[in-house]
Amino acid sequence: MLTYATRRILLVIPLLLGIAALNFLLVSLAPGDPVIYLLADSSDPGLVQTLRERYGLDQPLWERFGAYISSLLQGNLGQSIAQGRPVLDAILERIPASAILAGAALWIAAGLGIPLGLWLAKLSLSHPRLERSAFLGILLGTGLPPFLLGQLLILLFALYLGLLPTNGMFSVRGTPEGFPRLLDLLAHLILPALTLGLQPLAAIARITRAQALEVMGQDFVTTARAKGLNERMVHTKHVLRNALPAPITLLALSSGHWVGGAVITETVFAWPGLGRLAVESTLARDYPLVIGVILVGAIGVILANLIADIAVAGLDPRVRYG
């Protein structure tokens, strides 16, 4: 197991370098001049040239690329043009908000989707018609794209019912520290977390249901029941353990979709995370910050797949190599 995990971790290094190189080249070749955008109406050639020299934009592409890779290997992501500070500082400032939103959405998708899939599998054996109706309702309710689902949730819970806020992490008027501030955060978190987490919930429930039904038909489950194990123990120790690799793998494979969904969700709800920072830096033509945000997003996707691979290997020894 340790050998397998080590090999997977070592493979991440060249993959990250390749992503960083492709990321830099694609963004650098995009149209638009960040200095011209930053200066707005100013057309002073001397000022334009000074800023281009400050940020290295006057150098050939291959020299900028070499300097970027060299800085990256030293842990330096460069300087933000629009914000005038290190890219890493701007990113670290937004990571907590994105982590909170991603954690809540993951709990909705996996924490509810996996138990729901197991329940549907058991229900299909005793009440198949009811199970089909419940499953169809889940698909219809969670099949909307994030931008549309977010708008519908805002209309229902914010405008019509007036129950939940729609913008930011905290109220503009400010909230006292401690428990009231936590409640304020949770109130602002509900709608964006639902928007990001409901869509993959149906996929997780569907694949968990399919895997659980397949496992329930295996001989070892029949043998466990014949030995006198109660149903709760059978489903916890045998069915759940053997059905988990599939939804975990699905979560990892869809991590790129989660990153894209976070950009849309954070924009709709003005959530101050990396997704919104990506939009802001793109609109400002702040190429160093765009490159940094994309690289951090790629690292998140790679880490999600790495963790899923190791978790699946722990649950199913057949996938281990070496």
Side-chain angles (χ1 to χ4, degrees), residues 74-207:
Q74 300 174 41
N76 181 13
L77 297 181
Q79 193 83 0
S80 169
I81 297 175
Q83 299 189 20
R85 59 173 176 161
V87 168
L88 186 59
D89 291 349
I91 290 175
L92 291 176
E93 184 180 87
R94 299 291 188 101
I95 284 180
S98 288
I100 291 172
L101 177 58
L106 180 63
W107 184 88
I108 291 172
L112 298 180
I114 292 175
L116 184 59
L118 293 174
W119 176 74
L120 289 172
K122 292 195 294 183
L123 190 64
S124 66
L125 300 178
S126 56
H127 301 86
R129 291 184 179 179
L130 179 59
E131 184 270 340
R132 283 194 294 269
S133 299
F135 190 57
L136 179 61
I138 293 170
L139 290 179
L140 292 175
T142 58
L144 299 174
F147 69 90
L148 179 57
L149 180 59
Q151 297 292 340
L152 292 176
L153 290 175
I154 289 174
L155 287 174
L156 177 60
F157 291 101
L159 296 182
Y160 292 157
L161 299 179
L163 296 176
L164 296 171
T166 61
N167 293 311
M169 287 181 66
F170 299 100
S171 300
V172 177
R173 64 182 183 275
T175 306
E177 295 294 335
F179 189 66
R181 189 167 176 82
L182 176 60
L183 290 179
D184 189 39
L185 170 61
L186 293 177
H188 284 79
L189 178 62
I190 292 174
L191 292 185
L194 286 174
T195 301
L196 189 59
L198 278 180
Q199 190 177 30
L201 184 149
I204 296 297
R206 182 169 66 249
I207 196 170

Side-chain angles (χ1 to χ4, degrees), residues 182-244:
L182 176 60
L183 290 179
D184 189 39
L185 170 61
L186 293 177
H188 284 79
L189 178 62
I190 292 174
L191 292 185
L194 286 174
T195 301
L196 189 59
L198 278 180
Q199 190 177 30
L201 184 149
I204 296 297
R206 182 169 66 249
I207 196 170
T208 303
R209 168 187 172 274
Q211 287 298 114
L213 285 173
E214 181 179 345
V215 172
M216 287 177 183
Q218 299 295 319
D219 292 339
F220 66 88
V221 175
T222 304
T223 302
R225 288 195 176 101
K227 288 181 177 180
L229 288 180
N230 59 55
E231 283 299 308
R232 183 177 180 180
M233 183 65 69
V234 170
H235 282 89
T236 302
K237 186 176 180 180
H238 296 285
V239 177
L240 178 60
R241 178 182 175 86
N242 288 277
L244 271 181

Side-chain angles (χ1 to χ4, degrees), residues 46 169 250 254:
M169 287 181 66
L250 178 62
S254 59

